[in-house]
């Protein structure tokens, strides 16, 4: 699938100082932030118009940021204001603008947008979905630190009990959040067992759209789903 690089002068009305290339089903936008590494931003062809709203950048590459995900952002411009997107604030993000176009309404603070494949620069419509805060969190990779210190377990939803004197000291506790509440899944002698308990509960309560990000052991998805199906209600 090839595509011709758009001529800046020929198609100036769609050019916000970003180089981009059109393909059959999507558009690729190219930007190089301060680290000197080129990033590729993806959008659906239905959203080509937003290239005329502003120049788009990649954020998240700065060493000072805790996030491991790059996102596409811009600065508020007169064109964005004219188009009715002043509510996006001083640092508009592309995925919120596109979701607003998809839903045909302004978004509120309670509107969370999830990148299904985990790539914050893939803003094609099929990769974006409205999500609750908990759904958005569950589709994120394992957190690396907690309170500035490395996490005690390599698995999502699992932590080692480090309170001396407690009967569970040295064991592994698993939990997940569901509908704003923390669900404790138990304490386990073996770390992997605690991670499997998390996976099973996720499969029971969620629609697993991205096993690689939502599960500790994505290769066991079919096994988990069979167990959930055979669990009596």
């Amino acid at each position: 699938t090839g595509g011709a690089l758009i001529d800046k002068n020929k198609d100036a009305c769609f050019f916000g100082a970003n180089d981009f290339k059109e393909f059959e089903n999507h558009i690729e936008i190219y930007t190089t932030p301060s680290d000197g590494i080129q990033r590729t931003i993806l959008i659906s062809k239905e959203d080509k118009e937003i290239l005329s709203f502003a120049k788009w950048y990649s954020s998240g590459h700065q060493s000072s940021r805790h996030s491991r995900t790059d996102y596409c952002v811009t600065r508020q411009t007169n064109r964005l204001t004219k188009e009715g997107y002043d509510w996006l604030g001083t640092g508009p993000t592309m995925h919120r603008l596109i979701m607003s176009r998809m839903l045909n309404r302004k978004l509120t603070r309670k509107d969370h947008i999830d990148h299904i494949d985990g790539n914050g620069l893939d803003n094609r419509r099929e990769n974006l979905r409205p999500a609750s805060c908990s759904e958005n969190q569950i589709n994120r990779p394992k957190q690396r630190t907690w309170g500035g210190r490395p996490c005690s377990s390599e698995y999502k939803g699992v932590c080692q009990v480090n309170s001396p004197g407690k009967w569970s000291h040295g064991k592994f506790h698993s939990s997940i959040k569901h509908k704003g509440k923390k669900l404790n899944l138990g304490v386990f002698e073996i770390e992997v067992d605690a991670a499997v308990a998390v996976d099973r509960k996720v499969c029971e309560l969620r629609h697993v759209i991205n096993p690689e990000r939502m599960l500790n052991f994505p290769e066991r998805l079919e096994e988990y789903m069979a167990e959930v199906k055979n669990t009596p209600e």
Side-chain angles (χ1 to χ4, degrees):
T1 57
L5 187 65
I6 300 299
D7 186 321
K8 289 185 180 181
N9 298 318
K10 185 177 179 181
D11 204 9
C13 65
F14 280 110
F15 215 91
N18 281 114
D19 288 333
F20 68 96
K21 190 179 291 186
E22 289 193 62
F23 294 85
E24 182 178 354
N25 298 315
H26 71 280
I27 296 173
E28 293 185 0
I29 308 164
Y30 307 106
T31 179
T32 303
S34 59
D35 63 359
I37 301 174
Q38 181 178 281
R39 306 299 203 279
T40 300
I41 302 160
L42 305 178
I43 62 172
S44 299
K45 298 191 78 170
E46 299 98 306
D47 296 307
K48 180 179 178 181
E49 182 187 17
I50 69 174
L51 297 180
S52 66
F53 292 175
K55 180 176 180 179
W56 297 95
Y57 305 87
S58 168
S59 71
H61 56 277
Q62 302 93 335
S63 58
S64 60
R65 288 177 60 95
H66 297 296
S67 173
R68 287 173 286 174
T69 304
D70 288 359
Y71 292 102
C72 185
V73 300
T74 189
R75 300 182 181 91
Q76 185 63 252
T77 64
N78 291 333
R79 178 64 190 277
L80 279 169
T81 300
K82 181 179 178 182
E83 295 293 332
Y85 294 111
D86 53 303
W87 56 268
L88 284 168
T90 57
T93 56
M94 180 182 280
H95 59 276
R96 290 187 68 80
L97 185 151
I98 291 176
M99 182 55 67
S100 171
R101 291 163 62 89
M102 292 170 62
L103 299 177
N104 196 31
R105 64 172 175 82
K106 296 180 181 180
L107 303 185
T108 69
R109 291 185 178 182
K110 294 183 178 180
D111 287 311
H112 297 272
I113 314 302
D114 185 35
H115 290 81
I116 294 173
D117 69 356
N119 178 5
L121 298 180
D122 185 349
N123 292 306
R124 294 174 298 170
R125 294 190 172 204
E126 61 265 31
N127 193 46
L128 300 178
R129 62 163 187 155
S132 66
C133 182
S134 59
E135 288 171 336
N136 199 14
Q137 290 288 339
I138 203 70
N139 195 28
R140 289 184 178 181
K142 166 69 180 178
Q143 190 170 333
R144 293 176 295 179
T145 60
W146 180 261
R149 295 175 296 180
C151 290
S152 57
S153 173
E154 63 178 298
Y155 298 113
K156 290 187 69 172
V158 179
C159 65
Q160 188 172 27
V161 182
N162 293 319
S163 302
K166 292 190 66 173
W167 69 271
S168 55
H169 177 64
K171 297 180 181 180
F172 297 90
H173 178 264
S174 63
S175 64
I176 69 168
K177 283 189 176 180
H178 181 60
K179 295 183 178 179
K181 296 181 179 180
K182 183 177 181 179
L183 302 181
N184 294 311
L185 306 180
V187 177
F188 301 81
E189 296 278 354
I190 301 173
E191 186 177 11
V192 169
D193 291 345
V196 168
V198 171
D199 284 358
R200 286 173 175 157
K201 201 65 176 178
V202 168
C203 290
E204 177 185 335
L205 298 176
R206 313 264 186 215
H207 172 49
V208 182
I209 59 171
N210 189 349
E212 296 295 329
R213 290 173 65 84
M214 296 178 70
L215 302 177
N216 290 304
F217 304 105
E219 68 278 6
R220 298 180 63 173
L221 175 61
E222 290 187 9
E223 173 191 336
Y224 294 144
M225 296 308 298
E227 292 175 353
V228 170
K229 184 177 181 180
N230 294 323
T231 299
E233 296 184 3

